[in-house]
Amino acid sequence: MRMRLTVVLTVLLAVLLTAIAVALAAVDTSSGEVDFTMKLTMPTEGDQAGAAMTPSGHVWFSGNKARTEMKMPTPAGVPRAQMPGSIITIVDGDARVAYTLMPDSKTAMKMSLDDPRIEAPSQPRNPRSIMDPENYPEGTKITKLGPRTYKGGKVTAYQISWTENKEEITCLVYVDARELPLYIKTTMKDGTIEMTYSNYKFHKLDASLFKVPKGYQIMDMAKMMQGMPPPPK
């Protein structure tokens, strides 16, 4: 049971990293970086208590590109060798491709953002446009909840809810006066994800940040999934 939870957490985090990077990739020419911390909680299953992880990391974003580096903690009871030390995700919104890098093994997984067989986020967006309905599935509801106090400062709270693959997903979002997200709590069937963003900095970034470094073995998901039909609509 513990091993299965570890596998689920690792896969979910890889998908989530892509989502984070895509969510922070800009649709204009602005670029910058931001720190983040995360709390990922899995629901209780049978006699197994819900697992929790608290990764932290950094995101760089420029144009339609983003790079996320996340340090991976080891859950209690899980051998360190079963968890990667860190995960890097690079998203290129112009080329419509994403890479998940495992520095420990010098391997990278290439994923098309447009391949219907691969569950990947559909649209890149700037952190400034977190409240833009165009960045969510059709039928998404965005409700302004009003002013709140967060870490001693004034923020505006929103609730964003939508249905994806017949599953209801709800986000509580706190944004500052610049409409930049400071806190996001996502609730879904598989658990909750809490994201905290801090230290936004906006400046030009080196293009090499958004390329897979030399020496990595790249595995193409499209080639690995050849012959598999697209999922039913």
Side-chain angles (χ1 to χ4, degrees):
M1 178 70 73
R2 177 75 65 179
M3 175 71 74
R4 194 174 77 81
L5 275 174
T6 301
V7 173
V8 170
L9 281 168
T10 302
V11 172
L12 182 56
L13 278 170
V15 173
L16 180 61
L17 266 176
T18 305
I20 295 168
V22 169
L24 289 173
V27 294
D28 56 21
T29 58
S30 66
S31 65
E33 54 190 293
V34 62
D35 296 320
F36 72 87
T37 58
M38 179 191 304
K39 182 179 180 181
L40 171 64
T41 306
M42 302 290 287
T44 300
E45 183 176 335
D47 60 355
Q48 179 69 54
M53 295 185 70
T54 55
S56 62
H58 198 81
V59 181
W60 294 263
F61 49 92
S62 178
N64 268 338
K65 300 179 175 122
R67 176 191 179 103
T68 301
E69 294 190 7
M70 180 184 290
K71 296 180 180 178
M72 302 295 296
T74 303
V78 177
R80 183 68 187 87
Q82 294 180 9
M83 293 296 295
S86 62
I87 297 178
I88 299 172
T89 298
I90 297 173
V91 171
D92 187 335
D94 295 323
R96 303 300 298 159
V97 66
Y99 296 89
T100 298
L101 283 61
M102 304 291 185
D104 291 351
S105 59
K106 295 293 183 181
T107 56
M109 194 162 35
K110 179 181 178 182
M111 298 170 284
S112 168
L113 298 179
D114 298 318
D115 191 333
R117 298 169 301 177
I118 301 174
E119 185 177 351
S122 58
Q123 289 194 37
R125 64 177 182 264
N126 190 295
R128 288 192 174 99
S129 63
I130 191 71
M131 308 309 304
D132 188 347
E134 293 297 321
N135 294 317
Y136 297 92
E138 184 178 354
T140 295
K141 295 181 180 179
I142 300 179
T143 305
K144 185 175 182 179
L145 302 178
R148 297 284 191 278
T149 299
Y150 176 70
K151 293 187 175 181
K154 294 181 179 180
V155 297
T156 302
Y158 290 86
Q159 178 174 291
I160 307 174
S161 57
W162 70 92
T163 301
E164 188 171 325
N165 297 325
K166 298 182 179 180
E167 177 184 353
E168 298 234 351
I169 301 174
T170 302
C171 288
L172 173 65
V173 182
Y174 291 167
V175 299
D176 64 12
R178 301 169 295 176
E179 290 290 301
L180 292 172
L182 301 180
Y183 174 80
I184 302 174
K185 182 177 182 180
T186 303
T187 303
M188 50 193 165
K189 180 181 65 177
D190 292 328
T192 61
I193 302 165
E194 294 180 75
M195 298 288 300
T196 302
Y197 298 97
S198 60
N199 302 321
Y200 279 99
K201 299 175 184 176
F202 297 96
H203 56 90
K204 188 175 181 179
L205 300 172
D206 193 294
S208 63
L209 279 170
F210 308 107
K211 297 179 181 179
V212 178
K214 291 182 179 180
Y216 273 74
Q217 179 185 0
I218 299 176
M219 297 175 288
D220 193 327
M221 286 291 291
K223 291 181 179 179
M224 295 171 63
M225 300 175 69
Q226 279 182 350
M228 292 181 59
K233 296 182 178 180

